[in-house]
Amino acid sequence: MRTKLSTVYYPQTSGGYTVICPELNGVTEGKTYEEARKNILEVIKLLIEDYEDKNDLAEAFDSGSKIFTEVEIEY
């Protein structure tokens, strides 16, 4: 099966990147963008391997378009 998943990269002030895959709640990091990308792909593969019913997983990903927004909060 093939599907598209989102990945979001956050550059860190100390260098490197934190990257997340929101659909699977996967998080990792890397010293470079390329390393972070490689790491999140590995995390995604491991999380999908652990998912018992791959058909349900594929249906959830392909259920419609994604909406990305940003919100501003005060804390």
Side-chain angles (χ1 to χ4, degrees):
M1 288 186 206
R2 292 183 71 81
T3 192
K4 291 183 180 181
L5 298 171
S6 307
T7 53
V8 183
Y9 294 79
Y10 295 95
Q12 300 302 305
T13 56
S14 58
Y17 292 85
T18 298
V19 58
I20 65 169
C21 174
E23 291 91 346
L24 295 174
N25 293 323
V27 180
T28 190
E29 59 188 11
K31 292 180 183 179
T32 65
Y33 173 85
E34 292 79 14
E35 182 180 317
R37 184 176 187 281
K38 182 182 111 220
N39 291 345
I40 196 65
L41 289 173
E42 184 64 26
V43 166
I44 290 169
K45 288 177 187 176
L46 292 171
L47 290 170
I48 288 175
E49 282 176 12
D50 286 345
Y51 203 88
E52 290 180 20
D53 191 340
K54 304 250 187 318
N55 290 325
D56 284 349
L57 184 64
E59 259 184 51
F61 294 151
D62 296 331
S63 63
S65 299
K66 297 177 180 91
I67 299 172
F68 290 95
T69 65
E70 291 181 352
V71 294
E72 186 174 326
I73 61 169
E74 186 174 332
Y75 61 95

